[in-house]
Amino acid sequence: MRTSLPSALLFAVVVAFGFQAAVPHLPPVWGYTLSDFLIMLTAAYASVGYWRGARRNTGRARAAMIVGACSSALWSLGNALFLLTRSSLLGTAGTDIGGLLSLLATMLLPVGLILIAAPTRGLARVRRLIDIAAVAGAILILAWQFILAPAVATTDLSVIIADVHFLVPEALAVALALVTASTSAPTRNAHALHLLACAAAVLAVTMMIVVHNGVRGSLWYEHGVGAGFVLGAILMALSSRHELPASGEADVRRMVISVWAVLPYIPVILAVAAVAVVQVVTGQLGAVLVWLLLGTFCLVLLRQLTSLVMVGSMAVTLQEQKAHLAYQAHHDPLTGLPNRAAFRERGAAAIGDAGRVALLLLDLDGFKPINDSLGHSGGDEALVTVGHRLAAALRPEDVVCRLGGDEFAVLVTDISDDDTTSLAQRLLTTISAPMTIHGSTVAVGVSIGITPSQPGTPDSLDRLLREADLAMYDAKARGKGAISFFRDGAAGHPGSRRNGPSSSSARRSFA
């Protein structure tokens, strides 16, 4: 049964600090040997795990696994050389080569982190770089205060410069690990990124403590160095046995609220606290400390400015998307006319506000032959042309929509029967005019069913639509290309019109 991650982490901590507690009681050569042996085996185990993961992945994930495998293999080989040197099987050159391999292994870890982390573009990439630089500046403030500053008066300047050259990339490695872990929240079953980030941070900090021990003349394992190397190796081994986060798996809520989000702020807070302590205790700050602090805070301010620009850009984009979605929800995607939902909303409001309304339902005649001869693209172009003609023939206050297919609806307000008839005749003439589609001249007719509101009768859009639909089918039954009213009529009222007016029935029926 696979061990849970919390149990594995607890085991790693116990082993690392158990070694740290035991090594002072061992002969020096045993302590070195045990440390090298543990790291050699653990790093080799991690290398095998990464190679297996590389075969299961592609692209950036595969490259990240290969880098992890190379880093682990180099570290394992370096410690193997240490063991051979201490057993007198190799000369002192083995120690130098082993140290170089271990340093290369440490430097490869940030490359793996970059490959695992989700790629960023534009301002997001700039902000990540600023974050890394700001956190690295805070770590350098701490490194200067607790590692280099105490040794400035007693150590040769060339040694200090060499230590600075060593500490700068380690500070960048820690910063990269913290920023990557804070901005990438993988799913609960994909902890490889966070484990590798922790390993990189632990190893980089451990290397910085090694410099501290060298400056102070402390034993190699003191101040947690022994535990740091062992813990870093075990974290790498654990990372190699977990799947990488898949693209798009990041949970925004976890990225913002989880404890990982606060990681980059910890070095900055510690740096400010350290500088405050120095000021309180000594009453003055050294030039190096002041410039490091100023540079770090300039980066923090630049980061906030970049974030402000990004948030503003996101707000504008969201507003545009909201307007676009609102337009899509209320407009027909083909003709650009209001759709059925918008027609119901605006039509109901128009009926409530106006004294007298009339609803015209239009159904195209002869549309199917255009679809058959010119294809769906030709039919779509014909519908767009009809939509444009329809909108151009109406007043701004009139409500028009495409109900679907080749059916359109128009709701006009404050209009008399005669004006409604004139409008319907004008629409019939306008829509029936020839049009050019895909180089061919075609024409469509239209049948129009009309229902006016009845004085003293409460009107609803649904009732008007039903009556107009019946009137429209009556117009089609009369031979298409006709206009038919649905109303309580009397002789002389407008009736079905094709080539001229005709009388209507005295009953409420089709005219």
Side-chain angles (χ1 to χ4, degrees):
M1 185 173 64
R2 189 173 182 177
T3 306
S4 66
L5 182 59
S7 300
L9 291 175
L10 179 61
F11 171 77
V13 172
V14 169
V15 171
F17 285 94
F19 172 78
Q20 182 70 33
V23 73
H25 305 290
L26 299 174
V29 67
W30 287 20
Y32 280 120
T33 301
L34 181 58
S35 172
D36 294 337
F37 186 73
L38 286 174
I39 294 172
M40 180 187 69
L41 289 183
T42 308
Y45 177 84
S47 182
V48 172
Y50 283 126
W51 280 119
R52 289 178 177 175
R55 292 199 298 268
R56 296 192 302 268
N57 290 277
T58 58
R60 289 172 63 95
R62 179 182 176 86
M65 285 291 189
I66 292 175
V67 168
C70 292
S71 175
S72 303
L74 289 174
W75 200 14
S76 179
L77 181 58
N79 281 270
L81 292 176
F82 292 154
L83 280 174
L84 294 174
T85 301
R86 292 192 179 93
S87 8
S88 300
L89 297 176
L90 287 177
T92 56
T95 302
D96 296 334
I97 296 174
L100 178 60
L101 293 178
S102 298
L103 182 60
L104 288 175
T106 305
M107 300 300 291
L108 277 176
L109 285 183
V111 178
L113 281 175
I114 293 172
L115 291 171
I116 294 177
T120 55
R121 297 179 178 84
L123 280 178
R125 178 179 295 176
V126 173
R127 189 179 68 170
R128 178 174 288 187
L129 293 175
I130 293 172
D131 286 345
I132 294 171
V135 175
I139 294 171
L140 286 175
I141 289 174
L142 295 171
W144 175 263
Q145 183 59 31
F146 295 105
I147 298 177
L148 297 179
V152 169
T154 58
T155 305
D156 186 78
L157 181 60
S158 62
V159 176
I160 297 295
I161 294 174
D163 289 339
V164 169
H165 288 163
F166 183 81
L167 289 173
V168 168
E170 298 301 334
L172 287 172
V174 177
L176 177 61
L178 295 179
V179 172
T180 302
S182 69
T183 56
S184 303
T187 58
R188 293 178 180 177
N189 294 326
H191 299 286
L193 187 146
H194 283 169
L195 288 169
L196 187 61
C198 290
V202 167
L203 291 175
V205 170
T206 302
M207 295 296 285
M208 296 173 77
I209 299 175
V210 168
V211 176
H212 173 270
N213 289 347
V215 170
R216 296 293 183 90
S218 303
L219 296 175
W220 70 271
Y221 58 81
E222 290 186 343
H223 304 105
V225 169
F229 283 127
V230 173
L231 181 59
I234 297 176
L235 289 174
M236 284 185 65
L238 292 176
S239 172
S240 72
R241 299 294 164 162
H242 284 79
E243 294 297 327
L244 294 178
S247 177
E249 284 188 345
D251 183 339
V252 175
R253 185 174 183 274
R254 290 180 64 210
M255 287 172 61
V256 174
I257 299 176
S258 71
V259 294
W260 296 102
V262 304
L263 285 178
Y265 296 97
I266 295 176
V268 177
I269 294 172
L270 292 176
V272 172
V275 172
V277 169
V278 172
Q279 176 62 28
V280 171
V281 173
T282 66
Q284 59 181 3
L285 299 176
V288 174
L289 202 57
V290 169
W291 283 110
L292 282 174
L293 188 64
L294 286 175
T296 299
F297 272 93
C298 286
L299 289 171
V300 171
L301 290 176
L302 183 59
R303 194 261 187 197
Q304 294 304 110
L305 178 61
T306 306
S307 298
L308 182 62
V309 173
M310 289 181 63
V311 170
S313 177
M314 289 173 61
V316 172
T317 301
L318 287 174
Q319 188 67 27
E320 291 175 349
Q321 290 178 345
K322 182 179 178 181
H324 181 64
L325 290 174
Y327 181 86
Q328 286 184 321
H330 293 87
H331 288 79
D332 174 52
L334 179 63
T335 63
L337 295 175
N339 58 15
R340 184 184 292 268
F343 183 71
R344 286 190 170 276
E345 181 180 326
R346 295 173 58 185
I351 291 173
D353 294 339
R356 180 175 174 80
V357 300
L359 194 149
L360 293 76
L361 195 63
L362 297 82
D363 190 85
L364 300 183
D365 301 324
F367 176 71
K368 187 176 183 300
I370 295 178
N371 251 346
D372 294 340
S373 60
L374 300 179
H376 289 292
S377 62
D380 288 346
E381 189 173 340
L383 290 174
V384 171
T385 302
V386 169
H388 290 166
R389 291 178 176 181
L390 194 57
L394 297 172
R395 303 171 300 178
E397 62 268 24
D398 296 332
V399 183
V400 59
C401 85
R402 180 189 176 205
L403 292 178
D406 59 351
E407 194 172 60
F408 298 83
V410 175
L411 185 71
V412 290
T413 59
D414 299 322
I415 190 168
S416 66
D417 285 346
D418 291 338
D419 289 339
T420 303
T421 303
S422 298
L423 172 63
Q425 188 64 56
R426 187 167 71 251
L427 293 178
L428 191 151
T429 303
T430 301
I431 293 173
S432 302
M435 62 183 77
T436 301
I437 304 294
H438 293 178
S440 301
T441 301
V442 296
V444 293
V446 62
S447 297
I448 304 177
I450 306 172
T451 180
S453 61
Q454 299 300 314
T457 302
D459 291 303
S460 70
L461 186 61
D462 287 334
R463 180 178 67 78
L464 294 178
L465 280 169
R466 286 195 302 270
E467 294 179 353
D469 189 58
L470 293 172
M472 184 267 295
Y473 277 104
D474 178 71
K476 281 189 173 293
R478 292 171 182 268
K480 303 181 180 179
I483 301 169
S484 182
F485 271 73
F486 186 98
R487 53 164 294 161
D488 281 330
H493 277 238
S496 175
R497 296 177 179 268
R498 196 168 183 183
N499 298 315
S502 65
S503 63
S504 63
S505 170
R507 298 174 56 245
R508 179 169 172 79
S509 61
F510 292 117

